[in-house]
Amino acid sequence: MGSTTLKTLLMATSILATAGFAHAADTTLTIESWRTDDLAIWQEKLIPAFEAKNPGIKVKFAPTPPTEYDAALGARFDAGSAGDIITCRPFDKSLEQFKRGNLTSLNDLPGMKNFSDVAKAAWTTDDGKDTFCVPMASVIHGFIYNKDAFEKLGIAIPTTEAEFFAALDKIKADGTYIPMAMGTKDLWEAATMGYQNIGPTYWKGEEGRAKLIKGEAKLTDPEWVEPYKVLLKWKDYLGDGFEAQTYPDSQNLFTLGRAAIYPAGSWEIGLFNTQAQFKMGAFPPPVKNAGDACYISDHNDIGAGLNAKSAHPEEAKKFLEWVASPEFADIYANALPGFFSLNSTPVKMADPLAQEFVSWREKCKPTIRSTYQILARGTPNLENETWVESANVINGTDTPEAAAKKLQDGLDSWYKPAK
């Protein structure tokens, strides 16, 4: 055999071997996220669970700090260097990326059948035709309480508005504890843990929210003003100087055992478990009258989408199908107590406080914060204005009626419901 023929044969063999090796090489998927706090959970629990069942696919979790995420992700989309899996913010930020062609419709992903319409609402187009992220987790609103304080004062868990204020009166009269830890300095808690926490009970959750978007209800209607009237009554139970009290101040007051009740989002569970030296419990927003339907804000917080320009769309879809599975839901929700699975298969929570929150789904109707979908796209921004007015009502600088009128006037100035 001539040396040229031998060289050709060796070269062909080498090319074939290289091709075979390339075919056998692992595909690496990169996940974009703002959840820097979750790095260990992904590396130690989630990724190994997926890779064990999907040989040939490797996954890398590459988070960006939360304050930089939106801008950095936008720049990477523009440069064509964004990761394969995109962790989705709820509502407009992700919708904008879908409209720009950066995220793919996931209507055909079989696992999407595992999620309700409310669960998918944060990642679905206004017309309801396309869903573009797999719902991963939500946060639930309610009240966390100091069990030791309740036992000492002989207080039963309040289920109605009247029982709630009777409990606050009893705590205030005793004087050992501040009845409720919440300040108005940072504004957003007054809306998020105040108005949006108790409000769904009055405007009937999704029913009322849909009417507002359709223009069939106004923020000046009784069911939207009444939560402000209830919130105004909170003022007497928040302790001295609540107007200057920041969010971290309120957290500290509660975890140091100085306040009996904390209007809460479930995201507090992880932190409170490490800081509080007393037993804690939780109860859902009290209903107006015994026997009324119970509503909770079960607010979509985080999802996962597919980069439309991913070089590995099939592998990425495999990964998203796993994210849509009960197995993922179980690992994720238990690794992050307080961030609850949106999967229709219930997840049994190992953490008792988290289990208490999630158990409300069985008896209460879920809804999302009224300002987040569609209604915060203009100026003035209804979400931010709701922060301001919720604080103003508690501070006594605006009446409930005046606050509602300001919010409705602001909305009317730019929002025209679709006919």
Side-chain angles (χ1 to χ4, degrees):
M1 188 185 285
S3 63
T4 311
T5 316
L6 183 62
K7 271 183 189 167
T8 308
L9 189 63
L10 286 169
M11 194 183 283
T13 309
S14 169
I15 289 165
L16 280 170
T18 307
F21 176 76
H23 180 71
D26 291 333
T27 296
T28 299
L29 298 175
T30 302
I31 303 173
E32 299 274 8
S33 177
W34 70 88
R35 293 281 309 168
T36 47
D37 292 352
D38 299 352
L39 184 61
I41 289 160
W42 279 97
Q43 289 179 338
E44 294 163 18
K45 295 182 177 177
L46 292 162
I47 291 171
F50 173 77
E51 288 180 352
K53 291 187 172 176
N54 294 275
I57 306 176
K58 296 290 179 195
V59 180
K60 181 185 173 200
F61 184 72
T64 304
T67 52
E68 300 163 26
Y69 180 70
D70 299 329
L73 179 63
R76 286 197 282 272
F77 272 135
D78 292 345
S81 60
D84 307 276
I85 304 294
I86 310 298
T87 302
C88 301
R89 300 268 199 196
F91 301 101
D92 290 354
K93 283 195 170 79
S94 294
L95 178 60
E96 189 57 35
Q97 295 298 357
F98 176 70
K99 285 179 175 173
R100 287 182 183 171
N102 290 327
L103 291 172
T104 305
S105 171
L106 298 177
N107 291 353
D108 297 334
L109 195 74
M112 287 309 240
K113 70 179 185 304
N114 296 339
F115 302 94
S116 70
D117 289 344
V118 174
K120 292 186 283 195
W123 302 285
T124 298
T125 51
D126 292 358
D127 61 12
K129 287 182 181 168
D130 286 291
T131 301
F132 43 85
C133 299
V134 176
M136 282 169 60
S138 72
V139 288
I140 296 176
H141 296 241
F143 296 84
I144 297 175
Y145 68 97
N146 181 327
K147 273 190 174 179
D148 295 349
F150 271 46
E151 283 168 17
K152 183 182 162 197
L153 299 178
I155 296 171
I157 293 171
T159 57
T160 66
E161 193 184 298
E163 289 170 359
F164 180 68
F165 283 105
L168 290 170
D169 283 332
K170 196 166 186 180
I171 299 162
K172 188 176 180 179
D174 170 76
T176 310
Y177 305 92
I178 296 164
M180 199 151 56
M182 192 182 82
T184 54
K185 184 173 172 40
D186 292 343
L187 306 179
W188 70 271
E189 304 104 292
T192 309
M193 276 92 105
Y195 190 66
Q196 297 287 2
N197 188 356
I198 65 169
T201 297
Y202 301 91
W203 62 70
K204 301 199 183 324
E206 287 297 278
E207 185 186 319
R209 194 176 73 83
K211 284 181 180 173
L212 202 59
I213 290 170
K214 290 175 188 165
E216 294 168 6
K218 289 191 176 293
L219 292 161
T220 47
D221 290 348
E223 68 272 23
W224 294 89
V225 178
E226 192 167 358
Y228 276 135
K229 290 181 175 176
V230 176
L231 219 51
L232 175 58
K233 292 165 67 177
W234 284 21
K235 182 179 182 176
D236 296 336
Y237 306 100
L238 301 179
D240 296 336
F242 71 84
E243 299 92 340
Q245 189 173 305
T246 64
Y247 173 55
D249 292 337
S250 301
Q251 291 175 306
N252 290 334
L253 276 176
F254 182 73
T255 57
L256 290 170
R258 290 174 56 199
I261 298 173
Y262 184 90
S266 58
W267 60 85
E268 306 285 12
I269 293 172
L271 177 72
F272 282 13
N273 278 342
T274 62
Q275 293 186 344
Q277 300 298 308
F278 50 84
K279 296 197 299 281
M280 291 180 288
F283 57 87
V287 295
K288 190 172 163 60
N289 299 302
D292 286 357
C294 158
Y295 293 87
I296 51 167
S297 176
D298 189 352
H299 190 77
N300 320 38
D301 194 62
I302 188 167
L306 168 58
N307 180 353
K309 298 180 183 69
S310 167
H312 314 291
E314 293 315 308
E315 291 87 348
K317 280 180 184 168
K318 251 189 188 179
F319 180 78
L320 289 172
E321 184 65 20
W322 183 70
V323 171
S325 73
E327 181 191 16
F328 174 87
D330 186 44
I331 300 171
Y332 188 82
N334 275 299
L336 281 167
F339 290 85
F340 299 108
S341 165
L342 285 160
N343 199 297
S344 299
T345 305
V347 172
K348 177 75 176 145
M349 301 297 301
D351 181 273
L353 196 54
Q355 180 56 35
E356 179 57 48
F357 269 89
V358 84
S359 72
W360 304 338
R361 285 178 172 173
E362 293 163 25
K363 60 181 181 182
C364 303
K365 296 178 181 179
T367 185
I368 57 180
R369 293 176 207 153
S370 61
T371 51
Y372 265 62
Q373 188 179 34
I374 300 173
L375 300 179
R377 290 178 185 169
T379 305
N381 179 302
L382 183 60
E383 164 68 0
N384 294 352
E385 293 300 304
T386 301
W387 296 3
V388 174
E389 290 308 322
S390 299
N392 284 351
V393 167
I394 297 171
N395 291 344
T397 54
D398 266 332
T399 64
E401 293 80 6
K405 186 175 187 313
K406 281 188 190 176
L407 293 176
Q408 187 59 49
D409 287 350
L411 190 59
D412 285 341
S413 73
W414 66 265
Y415 180 63
K416 302 291 174 272
K419 295 294 178 232

Coordinates of all heavy atoms in Angstrom, one line a residue, residues 81-118:
S81 N -25.9 35.3 22.9 CA -25.1 34.4 23.8 C -25.9 34.0 25.0 O -25.3 33.5 26.0 CB -23.9 35.2 24.2 OG -24.2 36.4 24.9
A82 N -27.2 34.2 25.1 CA -28.0 33.8 26.2 C -28.0 32.3 26.4 O -27.9 31.6 25.4 CB -29.4 34.4 26.1
G83 N -28.2 31.8 27.6 CA -28.3 30.4 27.9 C -29.5 29.7 27.2 O -30.4 30.4 26.6
D84 N -29.5 28.4 27.3 CA -30.6 27.6 26.7 C -31.9 27.7 27.4 O -33.0 27.8 26.9 CB -30.2 26.1 26.6 CG -28.8 26.0 26.0 OD1 -28.8 25.9 24.7 OD2 -27.8 25.9 26.7
I85 N -31.8 27.7 28.8 CA -33.0 27.7 29.6 C -33.0 29.1 30.3 O -32.0 29.5 30.9 CB -32.9 26.6 30.7 CG1 -32.8 25.2 30.1 CG2 -34.2 26.7 31.6 CD1 -34.0 24.8 29.3
I86 N -34.2 29.8 30.2 CA -34.3 31.1 30.7 C -35.2 31.1 32.0 O -36.4 30.7 31.8 CB -34.8 32.1 29.7 CG1 -34.1 32.0 28.4 CG2 -34.9 33.5 30.2 CD1 -32.6 32.4 28.4
T87 N -34.7 31.5 33.1 CA -35.6 31.6 34.3 C -36.4 32.9 34.1 O -35.9 34.0 33.8 CB -34.8 31.7 35.6 OG1 -34.0 30.5 35.7 CG2 -35.7 31.7 36.8
C88 N -37.8 32.7 34.1 CA -38.7 33.7 33.7 C -39.2 34.5 34.9 O -39.8 33.9 35.9 CB -39.9 33.1 33.0 SG -39.5 32.1 31.6
R89 N -39.1 35.8 34.9 CA -39.8 36.7 35.8 C -41.3 36.6 35.5 O -41.7 36.2 34.3 CB -39.4 38.2 35.5 CG -37.9 38.4 35.7 CD -37.7 38.9 37.1 NE -36.4 39.6 37.2 CZ -35.8 39.7 38.4 NH1 -36.3 39.3 39.5 NH2 -34.6 40.4 38.4
P90 N -42.2 36.9 36.4 CA -43.6 36.8 36.1 C -44.1 38.0 35.3 O -43.6 39.1 35.4 CB -44.3 36.8 37.5 CG -43.3 37.4 38.4 CD -42.0 37.2 37.8
F91 N -45.1 37.8 34.4 CA -45.8 38.8 33.7 C -45.0 39.6 32.7 O -44.3 38.9 31.9 CB -46.6 39.7 34.7 CG -47.5 39.0 35.5 CD1 -47.2 38.6 36.8 CD2 -48.7 38.5 35.0 CE1 -48.1 37.9 37.6 CE2 -49.6 37.7 35.7 CZ -49.3 37.4 37.0
D92 N -45.0 40.9 32.7 CA -44.6 41.7 31.5 C -43.2 41.5 31.1 O -42.9 41.6 29.9 CB -44.9 43.2 31.8 CG -46.4 43.4 31.8 OD1 -47.2 42.5 31.5 OD2 -46.8 44.6 32.1
K93 N -42.2 41.3 32.0 CA -40.8 41.2 31.5 C -40.6 40.0 30.6 O -40.0 40.1 29.6 CB -39.9 41.2 32.8 CG -39.7 42.5 33.4 CD -38.5 42.5 34.4 CE -38.2 43.9 34.8 NZ -39.0 44.4 35.9
S94 N -41.2 38.9 31.0 CA -41.1 37.7 30.2 C -42.0 37.8 28.9 O -41.6 37.3 27.9 CB -41.5 36.4 31.0 OG -40.5 36.2 32.0
L95 N -43.1 38.4 29.1 CA -44.0 38.6 27.9 C -43.3 39.4 26.8 O -43.4 39.1 25.6 CB -45.3 39.3 28.3 CG -46.3 39.5 27.2 CD1 -46.8 38.3 26.5 CD2 -47.5 40.3 27.8
E96 N -42.6 40.4 27.3 CA -41.8 41.2 26.3 C -40.8 40.4 25.6 O -40.6 40.6 24.4 CB -41.1 42.4 27.1 CG -40.5 43.5 26.2 CD -41.5 44.1 25.3 OE1 -42.7 44.3 25.6 OE2 -41.0 44.5 24.2
Q97 N -40.1 39.5 26.3 CA -39.1 38.7 25.6 C -39.7 37.7 24.6 O -39.2 37.4 23.6 CB -38.3 37.9 26.7 CG -37.4 38.7 27.6 CD -36.3 39.5 26.9 OE1 -36.1 39.4 25.7 NE2 -35.6 40.4 27.7
F98 N -40.9 37.2 25.0 CA -41.6 36.3 24.1 C -42.0 37.1 22.8 O -41.9 36.6 21.7 CB -42.9 35.8 24.7 CG -43.7 34.9 23.8 CD1 -43.3 33.7 23.3 CD2 -45.0 35.4 23.4 CE1 -44.1 32.9 22.5 CE2 -45.8 34.6 22.5 CZ -45.3 33.4 22.0
K99 N -42.5 38.3 23.0 CA -42.9 39.2 21.8 C -41.7 39.5 20.9 O -41.9 39.7 19.7 CB -43.6 40.5 22.3 CG -45.0 40.3 22.9 CD -45.5 41.6 23.3 CE -47.0 41.5 23.8 NZ -47.4 42.8 24.4
R100 N -40.6 39.6 21.5 CA -39.4 39.9 20.8 C -38.8 38.7 20.0 O -37.8 38.8 19.3 CB -38.3 40.5 21.7 CG -38.5 41.9 22.1 CD -37.4 42.4 23.0 NE -37.7 43.7 23.5 CZ -36.9 44.3 24.4 NH1 -35.8 43.7 24.9 NH2 -37.2 45.5 24.8
G101 N -39.4 37.5 20.3 CA -38.9 36.3 19.7 C -37.8 35.6 20.4 O -37.2 34.7 19.9
N102 N -37.6 36.0 21.6 CA -36.5 35.4 22.4 C -36.9 34.2 23.2 O -36.0 33.4 23.5 CB -35.9 36.5 23.4 CG -35.2 37.6 22.7 OD1 -34.5 37.4 21.7 ND2 -35.2 38.8 23.3
L103 N -38.2 34.1 23.5 CA -38.7 32.9 24.1 C -39.6 32.1 23.2 O -40.3 32.8 22.4 CB -39.4 33.2 25.4 CG -38.6 33.8 26.6 CD1 -39.5 34.3 27.7 CD2 -37.6 32.7 27.1
T104 N -39.7 30.8 23.3 CA -40.5 30.0 22.5 C -41.8 29.6 23.1 O -41.9 29.4 24.3 CB -39.7 28.7 22.2 OG1 -38.4 29.0 21.7 CG2 -40.4 27.8 21.2
S105 N -42.9 29.5 22.3 CA -44.2 29.0 22.8 C -44.0 27.5 23.3 O -43.3 26.7 22.6 CB -45.2 29.1 21.8 OG -46.4 28.4 22.2
L106 N -44.5 27.2 24.5 CA -44.4 25.8 25.0 C -45.7 25.1 25.0 O -45.9 24.2 25.7 CB -43.8 25.9 26.4 CG -42.4 26.5 26.6 CD1 -42.0 26.6 28.0 CD2 -41.4 25.7 25.7
N107 N -46.6 25.6 24.1 CA -48.0 25.0 24.1 C -47.9 23.5 23.8 O -48.8 22.7 24.3 CB -48.8 25.6 23.0 CG -49.2 27.0 23.3 OD1 -48.9 27.5 24.4 ND2 -49.8 27.7 22.3
D108 N -46.9 23.0 23.1 CA -46.8 21.6 22.7 C -46.1 20.8 23.7 O -45.9 19.6 23.5 CB -46.2 21.5 21.3 CG -47.0 22.2 20.2 OD1 -48.2 22.3 20.4 OD2 -46.4 22.6 19.2
L109 N -45.6 21.4 24.8 CA -44.8 20.6 25.8 C -45.8 19.8 26.6 O -46.7 20.4 27.3 CB -44.1 21.6 26.7 CG -43.0 21.0 27.6 CD1 -41.7 20.6 26.7 CD2 -42.6 21.9 28.7
P110 N -45.8 18.5 26.6 CA -46.8 17.7 27.2 C -47.0 18.0 28.7 O -48.1 18.0 29.2 CB -46.3 16.2 27.1 CG -45.4 16.3 25.9 CD -44.8 17.6 25.9
G111 N -45.9 18.4 29.4 CA -46.0 18.6 30.8 C -46.8 19.8 31.2 O -47.2 20.0 32.4
M112 N -47.1 20.7 30.2 CA -47.9 21.9 30.5 C -49.3 21.5 31.0 O -50.0 22.3 31.7 CB -48.0 22.8 29.3 CG -46.8 23.5 29.0 SD -46.1 24.4 30.4 CE -46.1 26.1 29.9
K113 N -49.8 20.3 30.8 CA -51.1 19.9 31.2 C -51.1 19.8 32.8 O -52.2 19.6 33.4 CB -51.5 18.5 30.6 CG -50.7 17.3 31.1 CD -51.1 16.0 30.4 CE -50.4 14.8 31.0 NZ -48.9 14.9 30.9
N114 N -49.9 19.8 33.4 CA -49.8 19.7 34.9 C -50.1 21.0 35.6 O -50.0 21.0 36.8 CB -48.4 19.2 35.3 CG -48.1 17.8 34.8 OD1 -49.0 17.0 34.4 ND2 -46.9 17.4 34.7
F115 N -50.5 22.0 34.9 CA -50.6 23.3 35.5 C -52.0 24.0 35.1 O -52.5 23.9 34.0 CB -49.5 24.3 35.0 CG -48.1 23.8 35.3 CD1 -47.4 23.0 34.4 CD2 -47.6 23.9 36.6 CE1 -46.2 22.5 34.7 CE2 -46.3 23.4 36.9 CZ -45.6 22.7 36.0
S116 N -52.6 24.6 36.2 CA -53.9 25.3 36.0 C -53.7 26.6 35.2 O -52.6 27.1 35.1 CB -54.5 25.6 37.3 OG -53.8 26.6 38.0
D117 N -54.8 27.2 34.8 CA -54.7 28.5 34.1 C -54.2 29.6 35.0 O -53.5 30.4 34.5 CB -56.1 28.9 33.5 CG -56.6 28.0 32.3 OD1 -55.7 27.3 31.8 OD2 -57.8 28.0 32.0
V118 N -54.6 29.5 36.3 CA -54.1 30.5 37.2 C -52.5 30.4 37.3 O -51.8 31.3 37.4 CB -54.7 30.4 38.6 CG1 -54.1 31.4 39.6 CG2 -56.2 30.7 38.5

